Amino acid sequence: MRTQVAIIGAGPAGLLLSHLLARGGVDSVVLETRSEEYVAARIRAGILEHSSVELLESAGLGGRLRQEGDQHRGIYLQWPGERHHLDFVDLTGRSVWVYGQTEVQKDLIAARHADGQEIHYEVSDVELHDLGSDRPHVTYTDKNGLDSRLDALCIAGCDGSFGPSRQAVPAARIYEKVYPYSWFGILADVAPSTDELIYAWHPDGFALHSMRSATVSRLYLQVPNGTDPRSWPDDRIWEELSTRLGHGQNGWKLNPGPITDKSVLPMRSHVRTPMRHGNLFLAGDAAHIVPPTGAKGLNLAIADVALLSKALIASVKEKNPALADRYSDDAQRRVWRCTHFSWWMTTMLHTSGDPFDAELQLSQLRWVAGSRAGATGLAENYAGLPIGY
């Protein structure tokens, strides 16, 4: 097979890239190791930045988001005895939307099917070749066991942290930080007990009350690395969430409900540079991972793809390589800003057991909640800087 852009990975980054390329008149073929059902059902991020929503709407993907998503003006910051609302719209004029990655994926799948996008699911043995030439290609085994080859002008690696694309960049420089705690996340069939997200510092550990819809709550607890979710019965989970989130504080109540999913997410930051090697371009988790505290993972992938689509369209259609040559540097400017913000939120809210650290964290929380300058800095980063920053 031949195409203009071979895309490895059919998650949000890969499908959004194929969608934007098609709108720019560039053909692509998408390869994915998992099944369509598996990719569509993966539970990941739930917060969309202002710029991400603008991009999706401009690409014709905002209809269901506007109808079924939940626009939030801000978040709550909390520590024992105090809860403060930060109004992003008041501070920066920008909001965020609660709209799960599964919903974004559904919209992308529907749009790509409607356009007749060629996507090959359940492929294996994916290998990238001749990346330094002007005719790179990908070999793989299709789901029927047939050896196949896909030739392209360039390859986009949107296949996450465990795919082959990131390994195909020789001599990449890697920056990594592994945090000494994880998130224990649950999904519960119960209406959220809050109108907007609660980020709670507590001596027993961080907690977060998020949501996926008007009837589904998403909640997290800070736990030690290596925690087995099966070791936590439901009653213990709700008791710990009630304690850390301040059940009873100023009359507020946490409503428990049936837990439908439990998982443990290790916390780490990982940045790989450069994000290009020859005619291979990396986007999303293939190039960087951030802890979820700052709600940046999916939004960074969207920002990468927004830049990469323009670069590839200019390169393929106009034979102008300028944007492609700048892609890695342009993308990493935002990557490092979001990596820092994610680290800052994480270290401000997660306890270490050190009393000195705890007092510093409380001092910082009081400053952010009590200073318009501090609150604006958090709001500007959380709601998201313009794409292209």
Side-chain angles (χ1 to χ4, degrees):
M1 291 188 298
R2 291 185 180 276
T3 190
Q4 291 175 309
V5 179
I7 300 175
I8 315 298
L15 291 191
L16 180 57
L17 178 59
S18 73
H19 184 82
L20 296 176
L21 290 176
R23 289 171 68 88
V26 172
D27 295 330
S28 65
V29 172
V30 183
L31 304 177
E32 170 60 51
T33 59
R34 303 285 193 169
S35 69
E36 181 176 313
E37 295 74 21
Y38 179 91
V39 177
R42 282 186 297 202
I43 299 172
R44 294 289 189 270
I47 302 295
L48 291 177
E49 293 178 1
H50 189 89
S51 294
S52 296
V53 173
E54 287 182 327
L55 177 69
L56 292 171
E57 289 187 319
S58 70
L61 298 166
R64 202 165 66 89
L65 189 163
R66 285 289 183 182
Q67 292 176 358
E68 301 180 19
D70 189 9
Q71 187 176 20
H72 284 195
R73 293 182 62 96
I75 62 171
Y76 294 99
L77 278 185
Q78 177 177 303
W79 56 96
E82 297 197 41
R83 179 181 292 171
H84 299 266
H85 185 248
L86 304 186
D87 191 313
F88 298 164
V89 177
D90 177 55
L91 293 164
T92 69
R94 299 164 72 83
S95 63
V96 296
W97 284 75
V98 174
Y99 193 67
Q101 179 172 315
T102 51
E103 303 309 310
V104 175
Q105 185 73 14
K106 289 176 187 176
D107 295 341
L108 286 165
I109 289 173
R112 302 319 302 130
H113 283 332
D115 287 349
Q117 173 68 46
E118 187 171 355
I119 308 173
H120 296 270
Y121 288 98
E122 298 179 73
V123 305
S124 58
D125 304 318
V126 177
E127 294 185 14
L128 286 60
H129 307 272
D130 296 336
L131 300 176
S133 75
D134 60 358
R135 286 294 184 271
H137 66 276
V138 183
T139 58
Y140 63 96
T141 302
D142 72 14
K143 67 178 181 179
N144 297 315
L146 296 177
D147 293 336
S148 303
R149 170 172 167 154
L150 175 62
D151 290 88
L153 299 176
C154 50
I155 299 172
C158 304
D159 47 343
S161 56
F162 298 106
S165 297
R166 65 155 49 180
Q167 306 304 327
V169 179
R173 185 166 185 180
I174 298 170
Y175 302 86
E176 189 165 34
K177 179 177 180 60
V178 178
Y179 297 86
Y181 34 73
S182 299
W183 275 15
F184 184 1
I186 66 164
L187 277 174
D189 283 339
V190 61
S193 303
T194 178
D195 58 335
E196 296 186 337
L197 277 68
I198 302 172
Y199 284 77
W201 182 97
H202 191 275
D204 295 342
F206 168 75
L208 170 63
H209 190 325
S210 183
M211 63 281 289
R212 285 295 178 266
S213 71
T215 59
V216 177
S217 295
R218 182 72 161 150
L219 301 107
Y220 298 94
L221 290 165
Q222 176 187 343
V223 294
N225 288 339
T227 295
D228 183 350
R230 295 171 298 182
S231 66
W232 281 64
D234 292 4
D235 288 347
R236 181 187 178 193
I237 294 170
W238 288 114
E239 181 179 355
E240 195 65 31
L241 284 168
S242 295
T243 298
R244 299 189 195 184
L245 289 169
H247 177 82
Q249 181 176 308
N250 296 324
W252 180 81
K253 295 181 179 180
L254 175 66
N255 299 316
I259 295 175
T260 59
D261 183 79
K262 300 178 185 179
S263 61
V264 172
L265 174 66
M267 304 281 281
R268 65 186 179 113
S269 297
H270 179 107
V271 178
R272 179 175 294 254
T273 185
M275 292 170 61
R276 178 188 183 183
H277 170 60
N279 279 309
L280 168 66
F281 300 83
L282 302 182
D285 286 359
H288 43 72
I289 296 171
V290 292
T293 326
K296 292 294 158 225
L298 175 59
N299 293 292
L300 262 182
I302 291 173
D304 286 350
V305 166
L307 294 176
L308 183 55
S309 61
K310 291 180 180 179
L312 295 181
I313 291 168
S315 181
V316 171
K317 294 278 288 184
E318 305 165 16
K319 309 302 179 186
N320 181 354
L323 291 179
D325 291 341
R326 298 203 324 255
Y327 167 68
S328 182
D329 290 341
D330 288 349
Q332 290 214 327
R333 177 182 171 94
R334 188 187 191 91
V335 167
W336 278 113
R337 173 84 301 273
C338 292
T339 298
H340 176 267
F341 177 66
S342 300
W343 167 86
W344 182 76
M345 288 283 286
T346 301
T347 54
M348 177 173 66
L349 289 160
H350 291 72
T351 57
S352 67
D354 184 329
F356 183 83
D357 288 347
E359 292 302 324
L360 291 180
Q361 290 172 318
L362 289 169
S363 175
Q364 184 163 270
L365 285 164
R366 294 185 187 105
W367 171 71
V368 170
S371 160
R372 187 173 181 87
T376 301
L378 189 153
E380 182 180 54
N381 283 274
Y382 196 104
L385 296 160
I387 290 176
Y389 164 82

